[in-house]
Short mmCIF file of all heavy atoms in Angstrom, two decimals:
data_model
loop_
_atom_site.label_atom_id
_atom_site.label_comp_id
_atom_site.label_asym_id
_atom_site.label_seq_id
_atom_site.Cartn_x
_atom_site.Cartn_y
_atom_site.Cartn_z
N TYR W 1104 15.32 12.35 -9.43
CA TYR W 1104 14.17 12.62 -8.57
C TYR W 1104 13.04 11.66 -8.92
O TYR W 1104 13.14 10.87 -9.87
CB TYR W 1104 13.67 14.06 -8.74
CG TYR W 1104 14.74 15.11 -8.80
CD1 TYR W 1104 14.82 15.99 -9.88
CD2 TYR W 1104 15.67 15.23 -7.78
CE1 TYR W 1104 15.81 16.96 -9.93
CE2 TYR W 1104 16.66 16.19 -7.83
CZ TYR W 1104 16.73 17.05 -8.91
OH TYR W 1104 17.70 18.00 -8.96
N ASP W 1105 11.93 11.76 -8.18
CA ASP W 1105 10.75 10.98 -8.53
C ASP W 1105 10.00 11.69 -9.66
O ASP W 1105 10.44 12.71 -10.19
CB ASP W 1105 9.86 10.75 -7.30
CG ASP W 1105 9.39 12.07 -6.67
OD1 ASP W 1105 9.32 13.08 -7.39
OD2 ASP W 1105 9.11 12.07 -5.46
N GLY W 1106 8.84 11.15 -10.01
CA GLY W 1106 8.10 11.68 -11.14
C GLY W 1106 7.07 12.73 -10.79
O GLY W 1106 6.23 13.07 -11.64
N ALA W 1107 7.09 13.26 -9.57
CA ALA W 1107 6.13 14.30 -9.19
C ALA W 1107 6.33 15.53 -10.06
O ALA W 1107 7.44 15.84 -10.50
CB ALA W 1107 6.29 14.65 -7.72
N ALA W 1108 5.22 16.25 -10.30
CA ALA W 1108 5.28 17.41 -11.19
C ALA W 1108 6.25 18.47 -10.68
O ALA W 1108 6.95 19.12 -11.47
CB ALA W 1108 3.88 17.99 -11.35
N SER W 1109 6.30 18.66 -9.36
CA SER W 1109 7.20 19.69 -8.81
C SER W 1109 8.67 19.33 -8.99
O SER W 1109 9.53 20.21 -8.93
CB SER W 1109 6.91 19.89 -7.32
OG SER W 1109 7.14 18.69 -6.60
N MET W 1110 8.96 18.05 -9.22
CA MET W 1110 10.34 17.61 -9.40
C MET W 1110 10.71 17.42 -10.87
O MET W 1110 11.76 17.85 -11.31
CB MET W 1110 10.59 16.30 -8.64
CG MET W 1110 10.24 16.35 -7.17
SD MET W 1110 11.19 17.55 -6.22
CE MET W 1110 12.80 16.78 -6.21
N SER W 1111 9.82 16.77 -11.64
CA SER W 1111 10.16 16.37 -13.01
C SER W 1111 9.54 17.25 -14.08
O SER W 1111 9.77 17.01 -15.27
CB SER W 1111 9.71 14.93 -13.24
OG SER W 1111 8.30 14.82 -13.13
N GLY W 1112 8.73 18.25 -13.71
CA GLY W 1112 8.05 19.08 -14.70
C GLY W 1112 9.02 19.73 -15.68
O GLY W 1112 10.08 20.23 -15.29
N ILE W 1113 8.65 19.73 -16.98
CA ILE W 1113 9.56 20.23 -18.01
C ILE W 1113 9.60 21.76 -18.05
O ILE W 1113 10.49 22.34 -18.67
CB ILE W 1113 9.18 19.68 -19.40
CG1 ILE W 1113 7.75 20.12 -19.76
CG2 ILE W 1113 9.30 18.16 -19.43
CD1 ILE W 1113 7.34 19.73 -21.17
N TYR W 1114 8.65 22.42 -17.39
CA TYR W 1114 8.62 23.87 -17.40
C TYR W 1114 8.93 24.46 -16.02
O TYR W 1114 9.77 25.36 -15.89
CB TYR W 1114 7.27 24.37 -17.89
CG TYR W 1114 6.95 23.95 -19.30
CD1 TYR W 1114 5.94 23.03 -19.56
CD2 TYR W 1114 7.67 24.46 -20.38
CE1 TYR W 1114 5.64 22.62 -20.85
CE2 TYR W 1114 7.39 24.06 -21.68
CZ TYR W 1114 6.37 23.15 -21.91
OH TYR W 1114 6.09 22.75 -23.19
N ASN W 1115 8.27 23.97 -14.99
CA ASN W 1115 8.43 24.53 -13.65
C ASN W 1115 8.91 23.51 -12.63
O ASN W 1115 8.82 23.76 -11.42
CB ASN W 1115 7.11 25.16 -13.18
CG ASN W 1115 6.76 26.41 -13.96
OD1 ASN W 1115 7.60 27.26 -14.17
ND2 ASN W 1115 5.51 26.49 -14.41
N GLY W 1116 9.40 22.37 -13.08
CA GLY W 1116 9.93 21.37 -12.16
C GLY W 1116 11.32 21.73 -11.69
O GLY W 1116 12.00 22.60 -12.25
N VAL W 1117 11.77 21.03 -10.65
CA VAL W 1117 13.12 21.27 -10.11
C VAL W 1117 14.17 21.04 -11.19
O VAL W 1117 15.09 21.86 -11.36
CB VAL W 1117 13.38 20.34 -8.90
CG1 VAL W 1117 14.84 20.43 -8.47
CG2 VAL W 1117 12.47 20.71 -7.74
N GLN W 1118 14.03 19.94 -11.91
CA GLN W 1118 15.04 19.62 -12.92
C GLN W 1118 15.12 20.68 -14.00
O GLN W 1118 16.20 20.99 -14.52
CB GLN W 1118 14.75 18.24 -13.52
CG GLN W 1118 13.46 18.10 -14.30
CD GLN W 1118 13.64 18.38 -15.78
OE1 GLN W 1118 14.78 18.39 -16.28
NE2 GLN W 1118 12.54 18.61 -16.49
N SER W 1119 13.97 21.29 -14.35
CA SER W 1119 13.96 22.32 -15.38
C SER W 1119 14.69 23.58 -14.91
O SER W 1119 15.50 24.16 -15.65
CB SER W 1119 12.52 22.66 -15.76
OG SER W 1119 12.46 23.75 -16.66
N HIS W 1120 14.43 24.01 -13.70
CA HIS W 1120 15.08 25.22 -13.17
C HIS W 1120 16.58 25.01 -13.01
O HIS W 1120 17.37 25.95 -13.27
CB HIS W 1120 14.45 25.61 -11.83
CG HIS W 1120 13.06 26.15 -11.95
ND1 HIS W 1120 12.79 27.41 -12.44
CD2 HIS W 1120 11.85 25.60 -11.64
CE1 HIS W 1120 11.49 27.62 -12.44
NE2 HIS W 1120 10.89 26.55 -11.94
N ILE W 1121 17.00 23.82 -12.60
CA ILE W 1121 18.43 23.56 -12.43
C ILE W 1121 19.12 23.49 -13.79
O ILE W 1121 20.24 23.99 -13.96
CB ILE W 1121 18.65 22.27 -11.62
CG1 ILE W 1121 18.22 22.49 -10.16
CG2 ILE W 1121 20.12 21.84 -11.66
CD1 ILE W 1121 18.41 21.30 -9.26
N ARG W 1122 18.45 22.91 -14.79
CA ARG W 1122 19.07 22.80 -16.11
C ARG W 1122 19.19 24.15 -16.80
O ARG W 1122 20.03 24.32 -17.68
CB ARG W 1122 18.27 21.83 -16.99
CG ARG W 1122 18.39 20.38 -16.56
CD ARG W 1122 17.97 19.43 -17.65
NE ARG W 1122 18.92 19.45 -18.75
CZ ARG W 1122 18.79 18.71 -19.86
NH1 ARG W 1122 17.73 17.92 -20.00
NH2 ARG W 1122 19.67 18.76 -20.82
N GLN W 1123 18.38 25.09 -16.41
CA GLN W 1123 18.53 26.44 -16.96
C GLN W 1123 19.85 27.06 -16.52
O GLN W 1123 20.44 27.87 -17.24
CB GLN W 1123 17.36 27.32 -16.51
CG GLN W 1123 16.02 26.94 -17.13
CD GLN W 1123 14.88 27.78 -16.59
OE1 GLN W 1123 15.11 28.79 -15.90
NE2 GLN W 1123 13.65 27.39 -16.88
N ILE W 1124 20.33 26.68 -15.35
CA ILE W 1124 21.60 27.21 -14.84
C ILE W 1124 22.76 26.28 -15.19
O ILE W 1124 23.84 26.74 -15.55
CB ILE W 1124 21.52 27.40 -13.31
CG1 ILE W 1124 20.31 28.27 -12.95
CG2 ILE W 1124 22.80 28.02 -12.77
CD1 ILE W 1124 20.08 28.39 -11.46
N TYR W 1125 22.51 24.96 -15.09
CA TYR W 1125 23.55 23.97 -15.39
C TYR W 1125 23.00 23.01 -16.45
O TYR W 1125 22.44 21.96 -16.14
CB TYR W 1125 23.94 23.21 -14.12
CG TYR W 1125 24.44 24.10 -13.02
CD1 TYR W 1125 23.59 24.51 -11.98
CD2 TYR W 1125 25.75 24.57 -13.02
CE1 TYR W 1125 24.05 25.35 -10.98
CE2 TYR W 1125 26.21 25.41 -12.01
CZ TYR W 1125 25.35 25.79 -11.00
OH TYR W 1125 25.80 26.63 -10.01
N PRO W 1126 23.16 23.35 -17.74
CA PRO W 1126 22.56 22.56 -18.83
C PRO W 1126 23.06 21.12 -18.90
O PRO W 1126 22.36 20.25 -19.45
CB PRO W 1126 22.98 23.33 -20.09
CG PRO W 1126 23.31 24.72 -19.60
CD PRO W 1126 23.86 24.54 -18.23
N SER W 1127 24.24 20.84 -18.34
CA SER W 1127 24.78 19.48 -18.42
C SER W 1127 24.18 18.54 -17.39
O SER W 1127 24.44 17.33 -17.43
CB SER W 1127 26.31 19.52 -18.23
OG SER W 1127 26.93 20.31 -19.22
N ALA W 1128 23.37 19.07 -16.48
CA ALA W 1128 22.78 18.23 -15.42
C ALA W 1128 21.53 17.54 -15.95
O ALA W 1128 20.41 18.04 -15.80
CB ALA W 1128 22.46 19.08 -14.20
N MET W 1129 21.71 16.39 -16.58
CA MET W 1129 20.61 15.66 -17.19
C MET W 1129 19.71 15.01 -16.12
O MET W 1129 20.22 14.46 -15.13
CB MET W 1129 21.15 14.57 -18.12
CG MET W 1129 20.07 13.80 -18.88
SD MET W 1129 20.77 12.59 -20.01
CE MET W 1129 21.58 11.48 -18.86
N TYR W 1130 18.40 15.09 -16.33
CA TYR W 1130 17.45 14.52 -15.36
C TYR W 1130 17.12 13.07 -15.74
O TYR W 1130 16.87 12.75 -16.90
CB TYR W 1130 16.16 15.35 -15.34
CG TYR W 1130 15.01 14.65 -14.66
CD1 TYR W 1130 15.02 14.40 -13.30
CD2 TYR W 1130 13.91 14.22 -15.41
CE1 TYR W 1130 13.97 13.74 -12.68
CE2 TYR W 1130 12.85 13.57 -14.80
CZ TYR W 1130 12.89 13.33 -13.43
OH TYR W 1130 11.85 12.68 -12.83
N VAL W 1131 17.11 12.20 -14.72
CA VAL W 1131 16.74 10.79 -14.89
C VAL W 1131 15.72 10.45 -13.81
O VAL W 1131 15.94 10.73 -12.62
CB VAL W 1131 17.96 9.86 -14.76
CG1 VAL W 1131 17.53 8.40 -14.88
CG2 VAL W 1131 19.00 10.19 -15.83
N HIS W 1132 14.60 9.88 -14.23
CA HIS W 1132 13.57 9.46 -13.27
C HIS W 1132 14.13 8.36 -12.38
O HIS W 1132 14.70 7.37 -12.86
CB HIS W 1132 12.35 8.96 -14.04
CG HIS W 1132 11.14 8.79 -13.18
ND1 HIS W 1132 9.87 8.66 -13.69
CD2 HIS W 1132 10.98 8.73 -11.83
CE1 HIS W 1132 8.99 8.53 -12.71
NE2 HIS W 1132 9.66 8.56 -11.57
N CYS W 1133 13.94 8.50 -11.08
CA CYS W 1133 14.47 7.54 -10.11
C CYS W 1133 13.99 6.12 -10.42
O CYS W 1133 12.78 5.87 -10.54
CB CYS W 1133 14.02 7.96 -8.71
SG CYS W 1133 14.45 6.77 -7.42
N SER W 1134 14.92 5.18 -10.54
CA SER W 1134 14.57 3.80 -10.88
C SER W 1134 13.74 3.14 -9.80
O SER W 1134 12.82 2.38 -10.09
CB SER W 1134 15.85 2.98 -11.12
OG SER W 1134 16.60 3.52 -12.18
N ALA W 1135 14.06 3.43 -8.53
CA ALA W 1135 13.30 2.84 -7.43
C ALA W 1135 11.85 3.33 -7.46
O ALA W 1135 10.92 2.56 -7.19
CB ALA W 1135 13.95 3.17 -6.10
N HIS W 1136 11.66 4.61 -7.80
CA HIS W 1136 10.30 5.15 -7.87
C HIS W 1136 9.54 4.55 -9.04
O HIS W 1136 8.34 4.27 -8.94
CB HIS W 1136 10.35 6.68 -8.00
CG HIS W 1136 9.01 7.34 -7.91
ND1 HIS W 1136 8.38 7.88 -9.01
CD2 HIS W 1136 8.17 7.52 -6.87
CE1 HIS W 1136 7.21 8.38 -8.65
NE2 HIS W 1136 7.06 8.18 -7.36
N ILE W 1137 10.23 4.33 -10.16
CA ILE W 1137 9.59 3.68 -11.32
C ILE W 1137 9.14 2.27 -10.94
O ILE W 1137 8.03 1.84 -11.27
CB ILE W 1137 10.56 3.64 -12.51
CG1 ILE W 1137 10.81 5.06 -13.04
CG2 ILE W 1137 10.01 2.76 -13.63
CD1 ILE W 1137 11.81 5.12 -14.16
N LEU W 1138 10.02 1.53 -10.24
CA LEU W 1138 9.66 0.17 -9.82
C LEU W 1138 8.46 0.21 -8.89
O LEU W 1138 7.56 -0.63 -9.00
CB LEU W 1138 10.86 -0.47 -9.12
CG LEU W 1138 10.61 -1.88 -8.54
CD1 LEU W 1138 10.23 -2.86 -9.64
CD2 LEU W 1138 11.85 -2.37 -7.79
#
């Protein structure tokens, strides 16, 4: 995902909620968004 708080937040972001259910789903900041 991009780096928006709603997507990348470590507590209430999308990646955090999904990792609570699927711990193997590692989050990576989108390279295109970083560029």
Side-chain angles (χ1 to χ4, degrees):
Y1104 317 125
D1105 59 26
S1109 61
M1110 305 299 289
S1111 63
I1113 60 175
Y1114 299 111
N1115 291 314
V1117 172
Q1118 65 91 16
S1119 175
H1120 289 287
I1121 291 181
R1122 289 198 69 180
Q1123 291 177 11
I1124 305 174
Y1125 302 98
S1127 300
M1129 184 177 64
Y1130 165 68
V1131 177
H1132 192 164
C1133 174
S1134 299
H1136 187 253
I1137 292 177
L1138 177 61

